[in-house]
Amino acid sequence: VVHLVESGGGAVQAGGSLRLSCSASYTHSKTCMAWFRQAPGKEREGVASIYFDGRITTYADSVKGRFTISQDNTKTTVYLQMNSLKPEDTAMYYCAAAFQYDGKSCGRQRAMAYWGQGTQVTVSS
């Protein structure tokens, strides 16, 4: 079992920035880690993902150019740098992880095996 701990959420005004962190208890080169979010009354959606082997990243269209997913040198922590935040970015943000042979399904909800408890991001206008 992989334990994930998120941090870095909070309240910010529109146009501001936040950086979320997700620390994993265990990873290896075939690890996929991703961020998802769920706003009240809406379904959970994928935000960004990173497949460690090759550092392959994906982004939802709604966050491209504003959010950046990255990993630290220890490869146990993944960050989500969120810039130019909008009120519609308000949601509970969840970190997820999975071990995948080729990363083709990295970032797909059903492919993620481990989930964190979530961290709230609130963007006011």
Side-chain angles (χ1 to χ4, degrees):
V1 177
V2 175
H3 296 284
L4 303 173
V5 178
E6 303 109 326
S7 62
V12 66
Q13 290 190 329
S17 299
L18 283 173
R19 189 177 79 158
L20 306 183
S21 299
C22 176
S23 294
S25 59
Y26 174 75
T27 64
H28 59 63
S29 63
K30 300 298 185 182
T31 298
C32 163
M33 290 184 71
W35 289 96
F36 295 82
R37 66 186 181 186
Q38 187 168 22
K42 294 187 178 181
E43 293 186 354
R44 187 164 57 188
E45 63 177 359
V47 176
S49 69
I50 183 167
Y51 184 62
F52 285 16
D53 190 3
R55 295 196 176 189
I56 301 169
T57 59
T58 66
Y59 296 93
D61 288 342
S62 60
V63 306
K64 282 181 181 177
R66 300 188 298 122
F67 291 11
T68 302
I69 190 169
S70 63
Q71 62 182 160
D72 73 345
N73 290 335
T74 68
K75 298 182 180 180
T76 58
T77 300
V78 168
Y79 304 102
L80 185 67
Q81 178 66 43
M82 305 186 295
N83 297 329
S84 302
L85 283 161
K86 304 175 181 180
E88 50 263 45
D89 294 317
T90 295
M92 183 71 79
Y93 282 70
Y94 297 92
C95 177
F99 302 124
Q100 301 174 344
Y101 176 73
D102 58 11
K104 290 182 179 179
S105 58
C106 185
R108 297 179 186 173
Q109 286 197 52
R110 293 185 177 182
M112 308 309 289
Y114 308 103
W115 292 82
Q117 293 300 308
T119 185
Q120 178 67 38
V121 171
T122 302
V123 184
S124 59
S125 56

